[in-house]
Amino acid sequence: MKLDDKDLTILNLLQEDANISNKAIAAITNLSVTPVYERIKKLNALSLLKKKVYLLNRKKLGLNVMVLVSVRIDKHSGEDAQMFMNEVKKIPEIVECLHVTGAFDFQLKVYARDIDHYHEFNFKKLAAIKNIRHMESHFVMKEIVNTTSLPLFI
């Protein structure tokens, strides 16, 4: 896959604002609207553009607590690990699950309204998943960097 500087600029612009118009992109990239449209069509065909979404303000929605939960599972066989991954996908408070190396097996990002909500989530939902050996919760005090933008190098 060969991308030039204009493609990377278009990708950067789209990931910063998915609603940016082709006309605005054309002005920034010094292209006309038709080539911008064709390039976006090509980027879409290459599966570089996954989906267009709105990012919600979690605090205005009452999700004031972010917790990173490190999880170590008991059995690491494919079937047991897959069962854990399937179960966490069903829990709406878990917005991210990463399979990691090191002392833990998974890192979860969890949003909750408050500490009571997290307590209920922890005991009624997360701890109910079989095969969990150990969990550690790390409450996020302040977000320093929070972006959905991938680093594209031009």
Side-chain angles (χ1 to χ4, degrees):
M1 170 181 353
K2 184 90 168 137
L3 300 177
D4 64 17
D5 289 353
K6 299 231 187 252
D7 291 325
L8 293 175
T9 300
I10 291 170
L11 287 171
N12 268 322
L13 291 167
L14 288 173
Q15 73 177 340
E16 287 298 320
D17 179 5
N19 287 324
I20 190 170
S21 68
N22 288 354
K23 185 177 177 182
I25 293 172
I28 293 167
T29 58
N30 294 318
L31 294 169
S32 63
V33 174
T34 301
V36 166
Y37 172 80
E38 291 301 325
R39 282 175 181 259
I40 292 173
K41 197 166 125 180
K42 174 188 83 171
L43 296 170
N44 220 348
L46 292 170
S47 298
L48 290 171
L49 305 174
K50 287 175 59 172
K51 62 183 176 178
K52 186 176 179 176
V53 299
Y54 284 100
L55 301 178
L56 305 179
N57 184 328
R58 70 175 175 90
K59 289 189 176 182
K60 290 202 181 233
L61 292 167
L63 297 170
N64 296 306
V65 176
M66 181 194 307
V67 186
L68 302 176
V69 184
S70 300
V71 177
R72 187 176 315 129
I73 59 175
D74 202 25
K75 298 176 187 159
H76 292 84
S77 71
E79 187 177 300
D80 292 313
Q82 189 62 52
M83 185 274 305
F84 173 83
M85 291 185 276
N86 290 340
E87 289 302 311
V88 298
K89 289 177 187 176
K90 298 175 187 176
I91 303 172
E93 289 91 344
I94 300 172
V95 298
E96 194 171 292
C97 174
L98 305 169
H99 192 189
V100 297
T101 61
F104 290 91
D105 301 307
F106 295 93
Q107 180 75 39
L108 311 177
K109 183 192 287 185
V110 176
Y111 289 131
R113 290 185 300 278
D114 51 34
I115 299 298
D116 290 335
H117 179 200
Y118 180 74
H119 181 267
E120 184 176 314
F121 154 82
N122 194 5
F123 281 93
K124 291 186 177 175
K125 294 182 180 180
L126 190 56
I129 298 174
K130 292 178 176 46
N131 197 30
I132 293 179
R133 176 187 291 181
H134 181 72
M135 296 184 298
E136 279 186 21
S137 298
H138 307 274
F139 289 83
V140 175
M141 304 297 290
K142 183 167 185 68
E143 292 178 84
I144 309 305
V145 176
N146 181 354
T147 181
T148 59
S149 297
L150 298 175
L152 301 178
F153 303 101
I154 298 174

